[in-house]
Amino acid sequence: MNTDTSLSSAEVGLHESNSTCSEDPMTTFLPIINSINFDALTSLASMTRRARNPSLSAEVSCSVQFPPMYGSSNLVYVLAFSDGVKWIARIPGKAATFGPLNVLRMSSDIGTISLLRARTSIPIPEVFAWDTCSAAIGTPYTIEAFVEGVSVIAKWDDESWPESSRLTVLRNLAKFMAELSQFRYDKIGALCFTKTGEVSHVGEMVDNEIDFRELMMDEGADPWGITSATGPFETTLSWLRTRANNSMKKETLTGRIAEMALLHLAIDSIPPSLLPGPFGLVHPDFDSQNIFIDDDGNITGMIDWDGVCTLPRALGFARYPSWLTRDWDPVCYGYGIPGSGREDSPEQLLHYRKEYATALVELDLPSELYSATETRLSHLLEAIVIATQNRICRTQIILKLLSHAFGDHKVPFRFPEFAHAFEAGTADAYMAAVREAFGGMWHAEW
């Protein structure tokens, strides 16, 4: 796992901008930064805090700490009060083109966060104020609690960090995720709320899809992606097939289209036991940069719930954390590659997956809410989900699945051979072999 040494508690798990860098990613945020009224932001933060605490001394002031931090989709400023209290302001990257779908998603996110905070003990930062329009400070925003600690990514690969602390992270995380088992909904989508904060129904899912290859080829492409809505979905298969079909519409090369045909075979092979509802709430980016801990591995916060939605349990509370499944996304997995940074070996990742799965089983959830198989097969399901939308990772994930499916028997063809046969309409025998192999690949690792 590549660790950015700039991560610290003061940086709330994000990257600090560096204006001396010739290729500073912060440049994409500059139009948004120029739109922010920082005096209005500090006044808003002070007013919000005094509304929550009327006895707060009038001498307490608020200031913005510069430079800001940034993640893949948000700009983050630390709001420092003169009495030592810290909050943060999050500004979405889509702020300059914040349309009705972005408003819909942000409203769902805020309502779902409130629901999770009310009904679980998961340490999700409280949202003190938010707005989907730009009237108050010049952009949409949320003002939230500051999370103490460091992100897991900043500690996990530290060889001086005790192994017991890593296991503490996994056990505590399993306990928090198990609390999500209480949420059960009839569709896949995003929650919609009444004016009083009650869940009214499951609605459409809003995504900001970023095509990095398009960004490299077209300087005029929107760096924040294209916003679109799909769903809600009655079944997991309809959701997966929609994702895959939407991706296939963008493909023109024969090899890529042949690749999508193999992906559809992988989707069709998913065991029914991993697919059914009711559907539960899912952290949309269940990875190490979004989980904060103290030195002993106790979890102090879980951030970045943007796009929280409902999905089947094997992709929700029962799934592995993404940093334990990196070996199933070969493009992102750098183990053994010079210069890629320290990574857990496949054997270490398997060990940690065992530990996490065991921690969930030991919580003794009712059988109608959880099956250990959902966890032990979730890495395969996660890989397929990534491949449905990520063009950069798709090829290597499919090759990984083929290798796993055929096992000791090597894949009986090379991909260019299959792509040629697919274009010629003579790939039936290949497809039949893959279909059979994929049908037998759904077995636990231990």
Side-chain angles (χ1 to χ4, degrees):
M1 179 165 46
N2 295 326
T3 303
D4 187 330
T5 56
S6 70
L7 300 176
S8 71
S9 59
E11 292 161 341
V12 289
L14 303 170
H15 303 275
E16 182 172 330
S17 65
N18 178 2
S19 59
T20 63
C21 178
S22 60
E23 296 183 358
D24 185 3
M26 276 292 291
T27 56
T28 56
F29 284 101
L30 286 178
I32 300 163
I33 293 173
N34 292 334
S35 299
I36 300 172
N37 183 330
F38 290 101
D39 288 337
L41 176 59
T42 54
S43 295
L44 175 65
S46 295
M47 181 177 65
T48 301
R49 192 169 172 212
R50 286 195 166 84
R52 294 169 56 85
N53 181 11
S55 63
L56 184 68
S57 169
E59 296 181 359
V60 174
S61 61
C62 178
S63 62
V64 178
Q65 291 187 350
F66 296 96
M69 284 71 67
Y70 61 91
S72 59
S73 302
N74 292 280
L75 190 67
V76 177
Y77 289 92
V78 174
L79 304 174
F81 291 91
S82 58
D83 61 351
V85 171
K86 290 181 180 180
W87 287 358
I88 66 164
R90 295 176 83 234
I91 313 297
K94 292 286 289 186
T97 56
F98 212 74
L101 289 179
N102 302 109
V103 171
L104 180 66
R105 172 166 156 167
M106 187 172 179
S107 300
S108 176
D109 290 345
I110 299 297
T112 306
I113 287 172
S114 179
L115 175 69
L116 289 168
R117 283 182 49 83
R119 291 177 50 181
T120 75
S121 64
I122 300 172
I124 302 172
E126 183 176 0
V127 177
F128 302 126
W130 63 284
D131 203 338
T132 59
C133 72
S134 57
I137 69 165
T139 66
Y141 67 88
T142 60
I143 294 178
E144 307 177 14
F146 181 90
V147 176
E148 299 291 346
V150 297
S151 59
V152 169
I153 195 173
K155 297 290 287 184
W156 191 265
D157 294 330
D158 182 350
E159 294 182 357
S160 67
W161 203 44
E163 181 68 5
S164 59
S165 296
R166 293 184 182 85
L167 299 183
T168 296
V169 170
L170 299 182
R171 294 187 188 111
N172 287 343
L173 191 57
K175 291 178 183 177
F176 285 134
M177 289 300 97
E179 292 189 53
L180 295 179
S181 65
Q182 66 181 283
F183 299 101
R184 309 178 79 189
Y185 302 98
D186 63 343
K187 293 181 180 67
I188 289 175
L191 298 187
C192 298
F193 295 84
T194 66
K195 292 182 179 179
T196 58
E198 301 297 322
V199 176
S200 60
H201 63 283
V202 177
E204 56 191 351
M205 310 166 77
V206 178
D207 291 312
N208 291 322
E209 184 180 351
I210 301 174
D211 189 328
F212 292 100
R213 291 197 300 186
E214 181 181 350
L215 288 177
M216 289 186 286
M217 298 174 64
D218 182 3
E219 293 184 359
D222 187 344
W224 307 113
I226 299 172
T227 303
S228 61
T230 57
F233 299 94
E234 301 281 348
T235 68
T236 305
L237 285 180
S238 63
W239 170 68
L240 285 169
R241 287 169 179 155
T242 297
R243 284 171 62 99
N245 289 336
N246 287 343
S247 292
M248 190 155 59
K249 292 175 184 176
K250 305 171 186 176
E251 304 297 355
T252 57
L253 297 177
T254 299
R256 284 287 184 176
I257 296 172
E259 186 178 89
M260 294 301 296
L262 295 178
L263 179 58
H264 273 284
L265 290 181
I267 291 172
D268 292 343
S269 75
I270 299 171
S273 61
L274 299 182
L275 299 173
F279 305 105
L281 291 171
V282 176
H283 190 293
D285 191 7
F286 189 35
D287 211 344
S288 53
Q289 74 275 13
N290 293 325
I291 299 166
F292 279 65
I293 54 174
D294 63 18
D295 287 341
D296 297 323
N298 299 303
I299 296 173
T300 60
M302 291 185 67
I303 68 169
D304 200 1
W305 291 80
D306 299 358
V308 57
C309 63
T310 62
L311 286 176
R313 297 181 306 211
L315 290 169
F317 81 87
R319 60 167 288 194
Y320 292 120
S322 289
W323 78 90
L324 304 186
T325 60
R326 289 178 60 80
D327 50 335
W328 284 89
D329 188 357
V331 168
C332 296
Y333 184 48
Y335 179 74
I337 300 176
S340 65
R342 187 191 176 281
E343 290 267 15
D344 287 324
S345 69
E347 293 75 20
Q348 288 172 309
L349 290 173
L350 175 58
H351 165 69
Y352 290 128
R353 288 198 288 266
K354 287 182 179 180
E355 291 288 341
Y356 188 78
T358 299
L360 272 175
V361 168
E362 289 177 349
L363 295 173
D364 199 25
L365 292 171
S367 59
E368 66 270 19
L369 296 182
Y370 175 65
S371 166
T373 303
E374 293 169 323
T375 302
R376 296 174 70 182
L377 296 178
S378 66
H379 59 298
L380 297 176
L381 192 54
E382 179 193 18
I384 291 173
V385 170
I386 293 171
T388 60
Q389 203 159 38
N390 192 317
R391 301 172 72 195
I392 294 175
C393 297
R394 183 182 302 140
T395 301
Q396 292 302 316
I397 287 176
I398 290 174
L399 293 175
K400 173 82 174 180
L401 292 173
L402 286 170
S403 178
H404 170 68
F406 283 97
D408 294 335
H409 307 286
K410 292 184 178 179
V411 180
F413 58 83
R414 295 175 64 249
F415 183 76
E417 175 188 343
F418 167 77
H420 178 74
F422 187 84
E423 182 180 21
T426 59
D428 288 355
Y430 296 103
M431 296 284 281
V434 172
R435 185 179 292 108
E436 181 179 359
F438 278 168
M441 77 174 174
W442 296 90
H443 53 80
E445 298 174 291
W446 74 91

